[in-house]
Amino acid sequence: MTTPCHPVPEQGDTRTVPKELYGRSEESRIITELLDSATAGAGAPALVEGIIGTGKTSLLRWAEEAARQRGMQVLTATATSTEQHFPMGVVHQLLDCLDTAGHQPGPAFKELPGQAGREHPDYLQLTELFKTLSRAAQKTPLLLTVDCIQCADPQSLLWLGFLSRRLDSLPVVLLASKRCGEMASDQHLLVEFMEGIRPDRHLRIDDLCPSAALDLAAALASQDPGALDLLITTSGGNPYLLTEQIRTVPAPHTSAAGPTDHAEHPPAELPIRLRAVKDRVLCFLGRLDRHGPRAARVARAASVVGSAVSAELIAELCSLPVEEVSESLDRLSESGILRGTDLTFRHPVLARLLYLDIPHAQRAELHRLTARALHRRGTSPQDITPHLLHAAQLDEPWMPRLLLDAAAALVPHQAPAAMELLDKAAAHGLPAHLAPRTEKLRIQALMGLDLPASVAAQSARVESATHPGERATEALRLADILLRLDEARQARQVLEHAYDQIRCSDAATAARLRRQLTHIRLHEGTCTLFTPRPDTQSSPGHPAPTGEERLEAALLLRTAQGDSAPAATRIAHTLLATPRAPYGSPSWYHALLALLWSGGFDDAHRHIDAEVQIARAHAVPTRLADALATRSLIQLHRGLLDDARTDARQALALLQRIHADRHHTGALARSVMIEVALEKNQIAGLADLLATALPFPATTPTWWQLHLMHSAARALGRLGETQRALGLMAHCEKELRRRKVTNPAILPWRSTTAMLHAGVGNLPDARRLAREEAELAQRWAAPFARGRALLALASITSHSDALRLSTKAAELLDAQQEPLLYAHCLHIAGQAHQQGGNTIRARELLHRATEVGVSLGADGLVEVVQRALRSAGGRPDPRKDSTEALLTPTERQVAELASRGMSNRSIARLLQVSLRNVESHLTHSYRKLRISGRHGLTKYFPAQDSTPAPLILHGRQAVSYLRQPQSA
């Protein structure tokens, strides 16, 4: 009989814990000790105190069940404010339970209803009641629970205090609960009762800690962790508010951002359970003071203000004296509704419930008054803007100006929020002098929301411009939008019309227009850079390059015709040097791509990293998408497959958000994703990518669509649709010849077509195209382009030629600069050695190709190489199934310690090796993992990783394998 039904759990153990005890292990332990002591004959009083909703009543109910399991008699009472005028009402509830159990109350109890006209019971009556309880306790130990003792009538409080001081020798536990902040019927008697409680039995409970709240939420609902975290945040860990939110169907739209973000789309009405929560809170607020609903008014005003409030501000909103507001704020803080530090709501869901309880018109007026009061106090604009957004009217001149200023700050980063502010300002009427600025901001916001929709607005702005210079500036913006939507012809017409109007009046603006016209014609493939005529120097149709334009024209000419990569590299470096070509401008991108196609991968990567950082700071979606897509192309050339796919996905996500992913650099991002899927042998991913990339538009393809066309043809060849792939490559060839682009470094369509022809047995055409690309690549003289062309030719020739060509390619390629291409070179060389009968050498090269392929994540190459390795009599090392496994055990140990942030010296001290030894191991790890420093180790060594089996790698450079004599 003395075994409790619910053992007190260890902290964090939730297997046998009732829901009311989550986070209350210490309190339940103390109550259990009190019950056990009472069954042994020594009783005691205890008090559970907390703010509203923290589970005081639930803890009392659990204690009652635990007492019954111990064989104790339970007497319960609940005090309410509506019954405070009934003398001894709580005592009646307790002793009625005793009467129901078969015990006979004493004579003092029978005299309670009349009290013989006395206001308080006398000492004899208190003693008789105590004796009655004592006699019952001698038969069965008792637990007395009094919920909400602060609402008990004064007579009952008097007797409870009398009883609590006489329980030491009785098997009686008196357990009461008290809600913070609420006024007592007799504060002196309540304080006297509380002073009789030992400090260790005065249980002060608060909102649950995050871990306990998560345990409770998980026990109540099987929602995803993100949804539970949101509910925990909005409830502030309050058990009652958390439980009611979880049980509400449908779940309310709540936000942890605070009450001033209220309800951009508020529900028509609250769910029933939350309406009950709101009503209970309002009743509680009504009992906080004795001066009517003042506390509720103050709390509602605080929910509108949202941020930290002051008594002066709330007094101004509520038209109340500051002293009264201060008193109410103190009550709200004491009761746990507001935080005592900054007077903000402890539970965001309560702020929202009170906010939605305010009538809409009154709420809008409170926002207007709040905005005006904050503005008068010099508060920052970002704190005033939310109130203006929800205000009924903007009746002061500074209000629309402040909204426009806030919109201008939000346009780059939060276009939807900026558009909302602009709509609010326009709806209430704007002064005429602010209209142009408003329209300009609206177009900028549209460009971050829906790029196609911004065309009409910007076109109207071009037409409304009266001054030629203004018209030219707006025309440049419109042309940029049209170009990003692949409407090059319309963009050219817009600029030509603006150029005709200004070329004689403003030379500087005319030069800008002429230069942009050149870039548009390059995009179209109609620019005549090669034969400028003297008689057309000032014509917009044939602009003559001058100054930087001439330098750019020379770069484009050399790059397109494949004439001397070293010379193109020098020109590109000149243009990329600040301030020759501003970051992110078309000229800057032309120089960057020329540098890439010349083989300057490291320099190109460094420049594009800087542009990505600048674009992120400016937060213009189109610019950032351009930078990310271009960086993904550079990373693809460097063999950084995972990084390339990540950047391409981010670029596509940005463009999809503004409905422009089918245009401009969206094609480049898809092209990179297809190439990565090919290298990773992700056939299902290829099919999905092709479904969104094909068919191509019937119009002339843009430059990046040519790259997508080329990648799609490679993917179709992998999927077995060779004829369809050849059709795409024929279209690609036709367009490149029209553009007079012969450089194989830009788009190796000849080698791709050669491989497709070889796949269907057309070896003569395949070898002809491969030789043509090799000759053009030799003329361009970029090592990576020459190596790629030689490998394509080697893959479709006899084994002796293949060995010669692949060896030459290996001498040209840099294992660090072009690791993926180099791994393909090892594969072809290994196959050539195998066909020549030198299987030992073949296995050696194929093993190395496997290592490089695994380090790059090129699963497709690894699979092909391992098949060749088995064919050569070798056996793939099962330990080389991950990038980390490429390291020796010591290298892995050192790299893992470095990934955790340990310094080289600390690692050397821990492993008892020299500092130079640690540095050597890290250098080898960086080389094998294809990373530049310890910041890249975290990708390979997450905290939960276990150390793989030891692995020994070849210690020599891969190039040396190809240079060893074949007799090896």
Side-chain angles (χ1 to χ4, degrees):
M1 291 181 62
T2 61
T3 303
C5 67
H6 299 302
V8 179
E10 296 293 332
Q11 185 70 26
D13 181 11
T14 60
R15 291 171 295 180
T16 59
V17 184
K19 295 182 180 63
E20 59 268 20
L21 293 190
Y22 282 103
R24 307 296 185 217
S25 57
E26 180 63 20
E27 291 80 4
S28 61
R29 181 189 65 79
I30 294 174
I31 292 174
T32 301
E33 291 176 355
L34 288 173
L35 297 178
D36 291 338
S37 178
T39 57
L47 179 66
V48 180
E49 184 177 8
I51 64 174
I52 184 172
T54 47
K56 302 177 292 297
T57 301
S58 298
L59 196 58
L60 263 60
R61 300 292 89 85
W62 172 83
E64 292 166 4
E65 180 62 22
R68 292 188 184 99
Q69 291 293 325
R70 288 171 167 78
M72 299 177 68
Q73 175 67 32
V74 177
L75 311 181
T76 65
T78 300
T80 63
S81 58
T82 57
E83 298 180 4
Q84 285 182 355
H85 61 283
F86 294 118
M88 302 296 282
V90 171
V91 180
H92 272 289
Q93 292 184 57
L94 292 171
L95 298 186
D96 278 343
C97 297
L98 188 64
D99 189 21
T100 304
H103 299 283
Q104 294 297 323
F109 174 67
K110 296 178 180 179
E111 295 177 4
L112 282 178
Q115 291 298 316
R118 292 186 296 271
E119 182 180 357
H120 292 288
D122 58 20
Y123 186 82
L124 292 177
Q125 289 174 315
L126 296 176
T127 304
E128 285 298 324
L129 289 172
F130 172 75
K131 290 179 179 179
T132 300
L133 198 68
S134 177
R135 286 192 295 269
Q138 297 303 322
K139 299 178 182 179
T140 306
L142 299 178
L143 169 65
L144 280 67
T145 62
V146 180
D147 199 10
C148 297
I149 193 173
Q150 77 279 355
C151 295
D153 58 276
Q155 295 82 0
S156 296
L157 275 176
L158 178 64
W159 183 75
L160 290 172
F162 181 86
L163 174 66
S164 66
R165 292 185 289 275
R166 292 165 174 78
L167 294 181
D168 293 343
S169 59
L170 287 180
V172 176
V173 174
L174 172 58
L175 183 60
S177 70
K178 175 185 177 295
R179 185 182 297 145
C180 294
E182 197 165 345
M183 299 288 291
S185 60
D186 192 316
Q187 191 68 22
H188 296 290
L189 291 175
L190 180 60
V191 169
E192 184 179 351
F193 172 80
M194 294 172 61
E195 286 179 347
I197 308 293
R198 272 177 35 182
D200 60 323
R201 295 169 183 166
H202 190 164
L203 310 179
R204 294 177 173 86
I205 61 176
D206 205 341
D207 295 324
L208 299 178
C209 65
S211 59
L214 184 59
D215 290 339
L216 176 60
L220 292 172
S222 58
Q223 301 182 33
D224 63 276
L228 293 180
D229 287 342
L230 177 62
L231 292 176
I232 292 170
T233 301
T234 56
S235 67
N238 188 277
Y240 171 65
L241 298 176
L242 178 59
T243 302
E244 293 304 305
Q245 283 191 99
I246 291 176
R247 291 173 177 172
T248 298
V249 180
H253 174 76
T254 55
S255 171
T260 54
D261 298 328
H262 307 301
E264 297 165 3
H265 303 286
E269 59 178 89
L270 291 172
I272 293 176
R273 298 191 72 92
L274 288 189
R275 288 208 301 271
V277 173
K278 180 200 68 175
D279 293 340
R280 179 180 175 185
V281 171
L282 289 175
C283 290
F284 170 68
L285 293 176
R287 298 193 301 268
L288 284 185
D289 55 49
R290 302 182 186 278
H291 304 286
R294 190 177 67 194
R297 289 178 62 189
V298 170
R300 287 192 182 98
S303 73
V304 171
V305 174
S307 57
V309 300
S310 64
E312 293 78 9
L313 177 60
I314 299 298
E316 185 174 345
L317 297 181
C318 298
S319 301
L320 292 172
V322 176
E323 295 77 10
E324 294 182 7
V325 171
S326 297
E327 181 183 348
S328 295
L329 288 174
D330 290 341
R331 288 285 184 188
L332 290 170
S333 176
E334 182 184 351
S335 65
I337 301 296
L338 301 179
R339 293 187 179 91
T341 53
D342 56 3
L343 296 181
T344 57
F345 279 85
R346 295 182 61 170
H347 316 103
V349 67
L350 272 188
R352 182 172 177 78
L353 292 176
L354 291 172
Y355 179 84
L356 294 179
D357 186 60
I358 306 172
H360 181 75
Q362 183 181 350
R363 189 192 315 160
E365 180 62 15
L366 283 173
H367 276 300
R368 187 185 70 84
L369 294 174
T370 303
R372 189 171 64 181
L374 293 176
H375 179 71
R376 191 165 54 248
R377 288 169 170 79
T379 308
S380 62
Q382 57 265 32
D383 292 333
I384 302 175
T385 301
H387 298 289
L388 292 178
L389 191 59
H390 296 94
Q393 56 182 343
L394 307 180
D395 56 351
E396 298 186 28
W398 61 268
M399 292 181 174
R401 287 199 304 271
L402 191 144
L403 284 179
L404 293 184
D405 292 340
L410 289 175
V411 159
H413 307 277
Q414 302 177 41
M419 185 64 75
E420 188 176 9
L421 295 177
L422 293 170
D423 290 341
K424 178 70 175 182
H428 289 267
L430 286 167
H433 68 279
L434 293 179
R437 185 189 180 199
T438 304
E439 189 60 26
K440 180 180 178 180
L441 290 173
R442 185 180 298 277
I443 293 172
Q444 292 178 9
L446 268 177
M447 291 178 64
L449 292 172
D450 189 345
L451 194 63
S454 67
V455 172
Q458 184 62 32
S459 298
R461 188 164 175 80
V462 172
E463 294 300 326
S464 63
T466 56
H467 190 271
E470 180 187 359
R471 185 181 182 89
T473 302
E474 300 300 336
L476 283 168
R477 292 196 182 100
L478 176 58
D480 182 68
I481 297 173
L482 291 170
L483 196 60
R484 294 182 184 281
L485 295 173
D486 297 332
E487 298 290 346
R489 184 179 61 83
Q490 295 183 30
R492 174 167 48 82
Q493 291 174 352
V494 168
L495 291 184
E496 286 176 348
H497 183 61
Y499 183 84
D500 290 339
Q501 292 183 340
I502 203 172
R503 60 179 174 178
C504 298
S505 59
D506 189 341
T509 304
R512 290 173 57 202
L513 291 170
R514 190 175 65 245
R515 188 159 189 154
Q516 188 64 14
L517 274 169
T518 301
H519 294 149
I520 289 176
R521 287 196 171 86
L522 284 169
H523 192 80
E524 289 182 300
T526 60
C527 182
T528 313
L529 287 172
F530 314 121
T531 56
R533 298 196 305 256
D535 58 331
T536 59
Q537 294 294 318
S538 60
S539 170
H542 303 278
T546 58
E548 300 301 328
E549 294 176 305
R550 184 171 303 177
L551 196 62
E552 183 181 1
L555 175 67
L556 293 171
L557 179 61
R558 285 187 178 277
T559 305
Q561 294 184 343
D563 183 13
S564 181
T569 301
R570 288 193 298 271
I571 300 174
H573 280 304
T574 302
L575 285 172
L576 290 172
T578 307
R580 292 274 188 169
Y583 271 94
S585 66
S587 299
W588 186 88
Y589 271 109
H590 292 159
L592 180 78
L593 292 172
L595 187 62
L596 170 68
W597 293 325
S598 300
F601 297 163
D602 285 342
D603 288 340
H605 207 162
R606 187 178 69 256
H607 283 293
I608 195 62
D609 282 345
E611 167 61 11
V612 169
Q613 292 180 3
I614 295 171
R616 287 193 192 280
H618 285 89
V620 178
T622 51
R623 181 175 181 179
L624 182 55
D626 289 350
L628 289 171
T630 306
R631 188 169 72 174
S632 71
L633 178 65
I634 295 173
Q635 289 167 336
L636 179 66
H637 277 71
R638 300 192 66 186
L640 305 176
L641 301 180
D642 292 330
D643 293 340
R645 181 165 56 185
T646 299
D647 278 350
R649 283 176 174 170
Q650 290 181 9
L652 270 180
L654 286 168
L655 293 172
Q656 285 169 351
R657 197 178 70 193
I658 60 175
H659 308 107
D661 58 299
R662 303 289 297 181
H663 309 287
H664 203 48
T665 49
L668 173 60
R670 283 196 170 89
S671 170
V672 171
M673 292 178 68
I674 290 174
E675 295 289 346
V676 172
L678 282 169
E679 295 295 344
K680 288 183 170 291
N681 200 30
Q682 296 172 343
I683 304 301
L686 277 177
D688 293 340
L689 288 168
L690 288 175
T692 57
L694 299 174
F696 289 101
T699 57
T700 302
T702 64
W703 182 250
W704 294 130
Q705 284 174 348
L706 286 173
H707 281 72
L708 179 56
M709 194 178 297
H710 175 263
S711 300
R714 294 190 64 217
L716 289 172
R718 176 71 64 86
L719 295 173
E721 300 183 41
T722 308
Q723 294 303 321
R724 190 179 177 191
L726 285 170
L728 284 178
M729 292 312 301
H731 192 42
C732 187
E733 175 188 358
K734 178 181 177 182
E735 180 61 23
L736 286 171
R737 291 191 186 280
R738 183 186 72 83
R739 292 173 178 263
K740 298 183 175 60
V741 176
T742 59
N743 190 348
I746 298 176
L747 206 61
W749 65 269
R750 294 174 182 84
S751 58
T752 300
T753 308
M755 300 305 296
L756 292 172
H757 280 306
V760 295
N762 187 3
L763 290 179
D765 285 345
R767 288 169 181 163
R768 175 182 57 80
L769 288 169
R771 288 194 189 96
E772 182 181 346
E773 179 164 319
E775 292 170 359
L776 291 170
Q778 185 172 1
R779 178 189 173 202
W780 177 238
F784 92 94
R786 292 182 62 192
R788 184 170 61 187
L790 289 172
L791 287 180
L793 184 57
S795 64
I796 54 177
T797 56
S798 61
H799 75 273
S800 58
D801 288 337
L803 182 58
R804 175 179 57 82
L805 293 169
S806 59
T807 302
K808 188 175 182 180
E811 294 173 351
L812 292 169
L813 295 173
D814 187 335
Q816 298 301 318
Q817 287 276 344
E818 305 100 2
L820 184 58
L821 195 59
Y822 189 78
H824 283 284
C825 177
L826 293 174
H827 170 225
I828 293 175
Q831 284 185 316
H833 275 293
Q834 179 191 357
Q835 292 172 3
N838 191 351
T839 56
I840 296 177
R841 187 69 180 143
R843 290 196 295 268
E844 199 173 356
L845 293 172
L846 292 174
H847 272 300
R848 177 59 178 161
T850 301
E851 294 174 7
V852 178
V854 169
S855 72
L856 298 174
D859 299 334
L861 173 63
V862 171
E863 184 178 342
V864 173
V865 171
Q866 289 187 347
R867 283 201 301 266
L869 187 58
R870 293 188 186 96
S871 177
R875 183 172 58 185
D877 194 333
R879 295 171 298 176
K880 299 176 182 177
D881 58 353
S882 68
T883 306
E884 306 93 288
L886 294 174
L887 307 180
T888 66
T890 306
E891 288 170 350
R892 179 181 174 86
Q893 186 179 23
V894 171
E896 190 167 3
L897 292 173
S899 71
R900 298 176 184 173
M902 292 184 64
S903 66
N904 291 357
R905 192 172 300 278
S906 299
I907 296 172
R909 189 180 302 113
L910 177 66
L911 301 182
Q912 298 182 353
V913 297
S914 68
L915 180 62
R916 189 167 184 177
N917 200 336
V918 171
E919 293 171 349
S920 175
H921 285 311
L922 285 177
T923 301
H924 293 159
S925 301
Y926 299 158
R927 177 181 57 80
K928 293 177 181 179
L929 298 177
R930 310 287 169 182
I931 57 179
S932 59
R934 65 173 60 217
H935 61 274
L937 291 172
T938 54
K939 180 170 61 175
Y940 300 103
F941 297 99
Q944 69 273 16
D945 252 11
S946 58
T947 304
L951 175 68
I952 299 177
L953 298 182
H954 303 288
R956 292 168 290 177
Q957 292 288 337
V959 179
S960 64
Y961 289 118
L962 297 176
R963 295 177 179 172
Q964 289 179 352
Q966 297 186 21
S967 59

